[in-house]
Amino acid sequence: MLNMPREKSSSRTDLLDNAMKAFWKIGFHVISVSDLVRETGVSRAGIYSDHANKKELFHACLDRYEEIVVDPLFSSVEKADSGIEDIRAYLEALLKRFEANPGAGIGCLVGNTFTQLTSDDDETRDKILQFYERLTDGYRNALTNENRQDRRLSKTEIDDLASYAMISVQGLWSYSRLTQDSAVLRQYTETLIVVLEMRLHGG
């Protein structure tokens, strides 16, 4: 007798949470529907009852990732009065999450997907760009507030520094997939903060 996948729950949230973890672990372009059935415990028919195809499910998982992974940590950088210490606290929270899970990290779901993009997947590229724009806007907000102290930088320079911060942090979490040494990641984050502070306040 064939072992049929056990239906865990018909709730859309359960499916999204388990599918998100599967995409994060295996990769959007690598994972098969059979993998999703195995990892979520939901049948193929159950998966497709709410989502027309794998890509549509993945895009819903990206939204869920922002809601339950990004929002709790990054919202402090986005608040109206944030500054460089909020960026530092955000990075520290990421480091603690890395240290709480022994072994090499799994990186960022969005960053992992970005490295797998095919040239014709415009829809997923747009979703990822929107995510990166959100991060850049958050860094811009914090850096703009911080800049009010000395007013050293122009708006264009703040924009450039915000992009630099976003790309640097994404690169950091891509690298986290290769190492088990949190000291390396801590040194990098400290260097990033020092660079931001020097640009903003000199010294």
Side-chain angles (χ1 to χ4, degrees):
M1 181 178 177
L2 292 176
N3 291 323
M4 299 300 291
R6 178 175 60 86
E7 296 286 353
K8 291 184 178 178
S9 170
S10 59
S11 82
R12 186 171 183 273
T13 299
D14 285 348
L15 172 59
L16 286 178
D17 287 350
N18 290 312
M20 180 190 72
K21 293 173 185 175
F23 283 123
W24 202 347
K25 179 174 70 174
I26 299 172
F28 166 53
H29 288 291
V30 178
I31 200 170
S32 67
V33 176
S34 296
D35 292 328
L36 286 168
V37 169
R38 183 188 69 247
E39 296 289 331
T40 64
V42 177
S43 69
R44 185 179 296 256
I47 290 173
Y48 286 143
S49 64
D50 284 330
H51 307 281
N53 51 49
K54 184 179 82 169
K55 182 186 291 188
E56 185 177 295
L57 172 61
F58 178 64
H59 288 180
C61 287
L62 286 177
D63 293 337
R64 181 65 173 161
Y65 176 78
E66 282 203 60
E67 178 185 351
I68 68 172
V69 177
V70 180
D71 287 356
L73 299 181
F74 197 67
S75 58
S76 62
V77 179
E78 298 174 303
K79 66 185 181 181
D81 61 347
S82 68
I84 201 161
E85 286 306 312
D86 294 288
I87 297 177
R88 186 193 296 275
Y90 167 63
L91 296 176
E92 178 62 24
L94 292 178
L95 287 166
K96 286 182 177 177
R97 190 176 71 185
F98 175 86
E99 292 169 342
N101 296 279
I106 60 174
C108 165
L109 173 61
V110 180
N112 296 353
T113 304
F114 175 70
T115 62
Q116 303 170 2
L117 271 179
T118 58
S119 59
D120 60 345
D121 193 351
D122 293 333
E123 292 175 272
T124 304
R125 178 177 289 101
D126 287 345
K127 290 283 290 184
I128 291 173
L129 286 173
Q130 288 172 17
F131 174 77
Y132 285 158
E133 286 170 5
R134 174 191 174 176
L135 296 183
T136 304
D137 286 345
Y139 293 126
R140 181 185 297 110
N141 171 65
L143 295 171
T144 297
N145 291 336
E146 190 75 22
N147 190 51
R148 292 195 176 102
Q149 180 177 331
D150 298 328
R151 300 188 180 275
R152 288 171 53 90
L153 302 183
S154 67
K155 181 181 181 303
T156 298
E157 290 171 318
I158 289 291
D159 289 343
D160 290 343
L161 200 58
S163 295
Y164 170 77
M166 183 277 289
I167 293 170
S168 295
V169 175
Q170 290 307 114
L172 171 71
W173 296 116
S174 293
Y175 185 75
S176 75
R177 301 183 70 191
L178 301 175
T179 184
Q180 299 181 36
D181 187 357
S182 64
V184 173
L185 303 182
R186 284 190 171 279
Q187 182 58 57
Y188 188 93
T189 58
E190 185 56 35
T191 299
L192 173 59
I193 292 296
V194 168
V195 169
L196 296 179
E197 288 178 331
M198 288 183 66
R199 290 285 287 122
L200 287 160
H201 304 305

